[in-house]
Amino acid sequence: MTVVSVPTMFADLLGPISGADILSWDMTEAPERADEIELVVVPPFGARWLRRLEELPALRAVVTATAGYEHVQPHLPPGVVLANAVGVHDTATAELGLGLLIAAQRELPDMVRAQDRGEWLAPRVRRSLADSRALVLGYGGVGRALAARLRACEVTVTAVASRARAGDDHVERVHPIDALPALLPDHDVLAVTLPLTEDTRGLVDTAVLAALPEDALVLNLGRGAVVDTDALLAELTAGRLRAALDVTDPEPLPQGHPLWSAPGVLVSHHTGGSSRAFPSRGAAYVRRQLERYLATGSVDHVVASGPRRALAEEA
């Protein structure tokens, strides 16, 4: 029997898997049978205990329960592969992204504050998603899921990824990253869905933000450090751009940080994938990965191997 560990939240949902001896382990304490564990599914909120991976001499593969993996990569023992949770959070994150866009465009935070005051706001024409133009930067699972929802809202969607490729049901084609500067001025929304890698860190910088038109909205559903916080704050403070941020840099956002009080900002506290859909979808993904490993000795969606050796996931 192959010994594998999974977070407690998935253990009951998985049920038995032929050929696997499944241990429930949240990494808060030393594991049982540490010498035998070959595959670990990392808990979604267990970053502080990742050093325990070094205590597993038989370890061959690590699977995250999240799309993000940069927090796990530095703790990988040599030769151990890392796979992330592709597809698990796409729907929930895109759902939140759409909600943030609607809230920001229709100014729902102002309405909530007015309700708290018991004040009826005077009617006026507000922004909308309909007939707007959105550029989705990073056209992986979350980007495609967001594009599908934007199309349903009658938004014109442009996709940009690391390389050019054919389109799909939502976009005519996917533009390469070097086309980004020329595309930005024609869009009302820049939606960032990129993972954090050496290539994407700080990608949305002063020049990228300056290329957006006046009153454009920056939505970040990827990782906070993909966007240069100082550059974004400069645009927000000047009142030229607005932002809806599920992720920030730094994170958690400290009390008193200027992003909290900058004009035109809506923050949702990195809650994109945290929905009631997560446990069942996460468990189904873990089952597929375990069955794959038991059948082949490998896992799907490998993004890294050993300490700090990135294999670059498609954006």
Side-chain angles (χ1 to χ4, degrees):
M1 298 282 280
T2 300
V3 180
V4 301
S5 78
V6 302
T8 302
M9 68 182 302
F10 297 145
D12 292 340
L13 294 171
L14 277 176
I17 298 178
S18 179
D21 191 351
I22 301 175
L23 305 180
S24 177
W25 184 41
D26 287 333
M27 303 185 73
T28 56
E29 299 177 355
E32 299 177 4
R33 302 171 65 181
D35 292 345
E36 302 175 69
I37 296 175
E38 291 187 27
L39 184 149
V40 170
V41 179
V42 176
F45 310 112
R48 75 182 74 172
W49 300 296
L50 289 170
R51 53 180 167 70
R52 293 193 183 279
L53 294 175
E54 300 173 0
E55 303 170 9
L56 309 176
L59 186 64
R60 294 182 57 191
V62 175
V63 176
T64 70
T66 58
Y69 57 88
E70 71 281 353
H71 61 298
V72 183
Q73 192 171 341
H75 299 278
L76 283 181
V80 175
V81 297
L82 172 65
N84 67 332
V86 172
V88 173
H89 303 286
D90 295 357
T91 296
T93 304
E95 175 182 271
L96 178 71
L98 179 62
L100 288 171
L101 288 174
I102 292 173
Q105 294 296 80
R106 301 303 296 267
E107 301 175 25
L108 297 189
D110 289 348
M111 298 177 190
V112 172
R113 295 183 186 108
Q115 181 176 346
D116 289 341
R117 299 190 302 266
E119 176 187 352
W120 185 274
L121 295 178
R124 66 182 179 84
V125 175
R126 301 177 188 272
R127 307 174 191 90
S128 71
L129 274 183
D131 299 336
S132 67
R133 302 156 299 173
L135 191 155
V136 178
L137 177 58
Y139 203 60
V142 173
R144 286 189 293 271
L146 180 62
R149 286 153 179 79
L150 290 173
R151 288 293 303 275
C153 292
E154 300 180 34
V155 176
T156 299
V157 180
T158 302
V160 172
S162 57
R163 56 181 175 80
R165 58 182 189 264
D168 54 20
D169 292 340
H170 315 306
V171 296
E172 292 185 3
R173 62 190 176 112
V174 179
H175 298 266
I177 190 65
D178 57 10
L180 181 63
L183 293 169
L184 287 167
D186 296 325
H187 291 83
D188 310 295
V189 173
L190 171 62
V192 181
T193 64
L194 290 167
L196 182 61
T197 68
E198 291 183 4
D199 291 334
T200 64
R201 184 179 295 275
L203 177 65
V204 180
D205 57 11
T206 299
V208 168
L209 295 172
L212 286 165
E214 182 95 11
D215 197 47
L217 177 66
V218 178
L219 170 69
N220 193 356
L221 299 175
R223 282 293 182 266
V226 174
V227 177
D228 184 320
T229 298
D230 290 339
L232 179 61
L233 274 169
E235 293 282 8
L236 296 171
T237 303
R240 207 185 74 81
L241 298 180
R242 297 169 296 119
L245 309 173
D246 187 46
V247 290
T248 61
D249 181 30
E251 189 175 301
L253 201 59
Q255 187 173 11
H257 192 281
L259 266 179
W260 287 121
S261 55
V265 179
L266 177 57
V267 178
S268 61
H269 317 277
H270 202 155
T271 189
S274 300
S275 76
R276 291 185 179 181
F278 172 49
S280 59
R281 291 181 181 226
Y285 175 77
V286 168
R287 171 174 279 276
R288 291 194 298 271
Q289 285 284 38
L290 294 184
E291 289 174 343
R292 162 85 173 175
Y293 182 79
L294 292 169
T296 68
S298 62
V299 290
D300 287 326
H301 311 301
V302 171
V303 290
S305 176
R308 303 182 186 277
R309 294 206 304 269
L311 300 182
E313 180 187 26
E314 175 57 49

